[in-house]
């Protein structure tokens, strides 16, 4: 049965996150109440993801390296690690090293239920690893190529692992060619437990509602959306329940793809896409 | 009544013994005459931290007939107070630890009509199980009786308040007669699931557990059963902490 390998310190898995940092990420999200810049919203969502993964792997004695994670930013003809501070320039890293090396820990305010029908404001620690960046073009082909290299090296050393997951977050078309062959090359790689998964998250400044986990491309508005759909892996069975638990209605054979994502769908998508949970 | 109580355990494959997060009480084997005997097996959830500590507190509390959950939670919180924790450990502790618990009480008493009678009762939350075995056969199973009913999201007891109303709805209790010669198994989830499956498909689960005379036998059994794969390629006994407490009543 694919996608059932246990994830342990001796058999860890990996995530590679590709983040479009081109100048169009400066624009605000089209949907949602905040009017936040896409670059800021996505950086917050990624920092929250790294925080959640760190907490998930935290045990009484410290952090267990169930996952290794790379966050690569692509902009202006270049692909580079999106980590700042002590991790700057480093790509695939064990989660323990990431957890122990944020650039800073901010104090943010969170609204919580006070248990009596009201809302309380609570101070929470918010570690930051990835800063918002927006500059130049969208070298997506190069980014997918680098992800393929990282995953290929990983699979050579971890042939029985839970399949690596690559998540590409973008708001625009590739400026360095057709990304489909590079995406296909990623999806063709596999561990003993199944094919590598490539999910695409298209963030948007448009006012159209998001299209989440579509099962066919005919409902998508243009060629670009259909291209990203084709570049996205079918969701494995174990993720179906997670998607449905989030209240999203899906048909059979959904793809790991969201078009026109607002901030809520960005957070939800990252949460679903990084939740293989057979931890040991 | 005469009680013979022994416990065997193995941590997850790939983990150290100190990373074992099941718990049981009493800690020591017991062989002797008593009118009442209590024991418990608990399973701390892997995805939470300090869950072994929480499981241990719950097991000890059951044996002490202490059902004050608020006090047990306070004990867990006090045990961690003053520890210097990094940000992620601090945030994980704030989310609480979770554990499943099953406790067994066996008591002998004289009825109004002057007859000596032994009864057994259980209290369970989650998927640690108690099985009553007579001769070669499984007689009663609680709270789960079918291996296919085990899943990845059992109801668990939290070390911080939050899901208490749900707990009441899921508490499973049983009170039954016991005969001298009956054997009780208290098993954490992975071995309980394995036991029910092997009992159903091969009818030899009791024989396999009765062949365990010491920890070495148990280590061999667990290692062997973890290595056997079913038709879907999944291990017959999932790789998890396993605890087997056996109580013989004569």
């Amino acid at each position: 049965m694919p996608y059932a390998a246990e994830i342990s310190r001796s058999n860890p898995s990996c995530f590679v996150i590709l983040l479009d940092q081109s100048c169009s990420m400066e624009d605000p999200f089209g949907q949602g109440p905040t009017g936040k810049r896409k670059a800021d919203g996505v950086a917050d969502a990624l920092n929250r993801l790294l925080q959640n993964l760190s907490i998930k792997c935290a045990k009484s004695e410290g952090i267990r390296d169930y996952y290794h994670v790379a966050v690569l930013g692509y902009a202006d003809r270049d692909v580079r690690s999106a980590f700042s501070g002590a991790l700057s320039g480093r790509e695939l890293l064990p989660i323990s090293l990431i957890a122990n090396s944020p650039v800073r820990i901010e104090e943010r305010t969170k609204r919580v239920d006070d248990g009596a029908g009201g809302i309380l404001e609570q101070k929470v620690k918010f570690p930051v690893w990835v800063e918002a960046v927006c500059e130049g073009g969208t070298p997506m082909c190069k980014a997918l190529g680098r992800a393929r290299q990282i995953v290929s090296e990983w699979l050579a050393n971890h042939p029985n692992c839970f399949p690596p997951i690559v998540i590409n977050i973008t708001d625009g078309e590739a400026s360095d060619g057709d990304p489909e062959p590079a995406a296909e090359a990623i999806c063709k790689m596999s561990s003993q437990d199944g094919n590598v998964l490539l999910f695409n998250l298209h963030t948007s400044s448009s006012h159209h509602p998001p299209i989440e986990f579509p099962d066919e491309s005919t409902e998508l508005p243009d060629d670009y959306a259909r291209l990203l759909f084709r570049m996205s892996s079918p969701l494995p069975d174990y993720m179906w329940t997670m998607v449905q638990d989030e209240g999203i209605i899906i048909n059979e054979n959904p793809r790991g793809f969201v078009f026109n994502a607002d901030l809520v769908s960005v957070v939800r998508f990252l949460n679903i896409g990084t939740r293989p949970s057979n931890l040991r | 009544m005469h009680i013979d109580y022994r416990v065997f355990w193995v941590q997850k494959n790939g983990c150290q013994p100190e990373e074992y997060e099941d718990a049981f009480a009493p800690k020591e084997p017991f062989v002797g005459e008593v009118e009442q005997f209590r024991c418990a097996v608990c399973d701390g959830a892997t995805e939470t931290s300090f869950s072994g500590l929480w499981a241990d507190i719950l097991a000890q509390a059951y044996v002490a007939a202490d059902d004050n959950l608020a006090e047990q939670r306070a004990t867990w919180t006090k045990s961690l107070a003053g520890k210097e924790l990094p940000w992620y450990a601090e945030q994980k502790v704030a989310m609480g630890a979770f554990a499943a618990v099953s406790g067994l009480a066996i008591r002998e008493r004289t009825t109004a009509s002057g007859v000596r009678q032994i009864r057994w009762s259980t209290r369970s939350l989650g998927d640690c199980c108690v099985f009553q075995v007579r001769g070669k056969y499984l007689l009663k199973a609680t709270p789960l009786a079918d291996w296919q009913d085990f899943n990845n999201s059992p109801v668990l007891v939290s070390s911080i308040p939050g899901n208490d109303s749900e707990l009441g709805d899921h508490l499973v209790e049983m009170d039954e007669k016991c005969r001298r010669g009956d054997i009780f198994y208290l098993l954490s989830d992975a071995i309980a699931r394995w036991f029910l499956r092997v009992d159903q498909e091969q009818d030899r689960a009791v024989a396999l557990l009765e062949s365990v005379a010491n920890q070495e036998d148990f280590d061999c059994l667990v290692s062997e059963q973890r290595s056997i794969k079913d038709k879907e390629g999944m291990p017959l006994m999932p790789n998890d902490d396993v605890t087997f407490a056996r109580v013989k009543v004569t």
Side-chain angles (χ1 to χ4, degrees), chain A residues 1 4 6 9 50-51 54-64 66 99-100 102 105 125 127 129 277 279-280, chain B residues 12-16 19 21 45-51 86-92 95 232-234 238-240:
Chain A
M1 196 166 69
E6 70 174 33
R9 285 164 290 181
L50 294 170
Q51 180 184 20
S54 302
I55 292 171
K56 187 171 187 171
C57 298
K59 294 295 292 177
S60 320
E61 76 283 359
I63 296 257
R64 293 188 182 174
Y66 294 126
N100 285 304
I105 298 180
K125 286 181 180 168
W129 293 269
S277 59
L279 300 184
R280 289 289 178 258
Chain B
K12 292 177 197 78
N13 203 7
C15 288
Q16 299 301 312
E19 293 172 340
E21 292 172 312
T46 302
E47 291 210 16
T48 61
S49 67
F50 298 99
S51 57
W87 69 266
Y88 45 82
E90 210 176 76
Q91 293 189 8
K92 187 119 179 191
M95 295 160 87
E232 294 188 317
M234 303 304 289
N239 181 23
D240 199 354

Side-chain angles (χ1 to χ4, degrees), chain A residues 159-173:
Chain A
N160 300 314
C161 71
F162 187 95
I165 296 175
V166 179
I167 298 180
N168 179 34
I169 306 171
T170 178
D171 77 331
E173 295 182 37

Side-chain angles (χ1 to χ4, degrees), chain B residues 17-42:
Chain B
E18 58 272 22
E19 293 172 340
Y20 165 79
E21 292 172 312
D22 283 357
F24 55 88
K27 293 281 182 214
E28 298 300 325
F30 174 82
V31 181
E33 295 291 326
V34 283
E35 290 222 318
Q36 180 164 293
F37 182 77
R38 293 172 75 91
C39 59
V41 164
C42 298

Side-chain angles (χ1 to χ4, degrees), chain A residues 111-122, chain B residues 161-162:
Chain A
R111 293 191 182 89
V112 292
D113 184 351
D114 69 356
I119 299 286
L120 271 179
E121 290 209 331
Q122 202 177 60

Side-chain angles (χ1 to χ4, degrees), chain A residues 55-119:
Chain A
I55 292 171
K56 187 171 187 171
C57 298
K59 294 295 292 177
S60 320
E61 76 283 359
I63 296 257
R64 293 188 182 174
D65 283 327
Y66 294 126
Y67 302 113
H68 290 228
V69 183
V71 184
L72 306 180
Y74 57 97
D76 207 19
R77 299 191 186 182
D78 208 10
V79 181
R80 56 184 175 265
S81 167
F83 290 129
S84 298
L87 305 181
S88 182
R90 302 183 69 180
E91 292 185 332
L92 191 62
L93 295 170
I95 191 69
S96 62
L97 185 57
I98 295 170
N100 285 304
S101 317
V103 187
R104 62 183 177 278
I105 298 180
E106 294 179 0
E107 199 171 74
R108 295 200 178 180
T109 307
K110 181 174 141 187
R111 293 191 182 89
V112 292
D113 184 351
D114 69 356
I119 299 286

Side-chain angles (χ1 to χ4, degrees), chain B residues 111-133:
Chain B
T111 63
S113 50
V115 178
R116 294 293 281 172
Q117 189 186 69
I118 304 174
R119 295 193 71 84
W120 63 283
S121 62
T122 61
R123 281 169 73 88
S124 301
L125 270 164
D127 51 7
C128 289
C129 291
V130 180
F131 300 139
Q132 181 190 23
V133 169

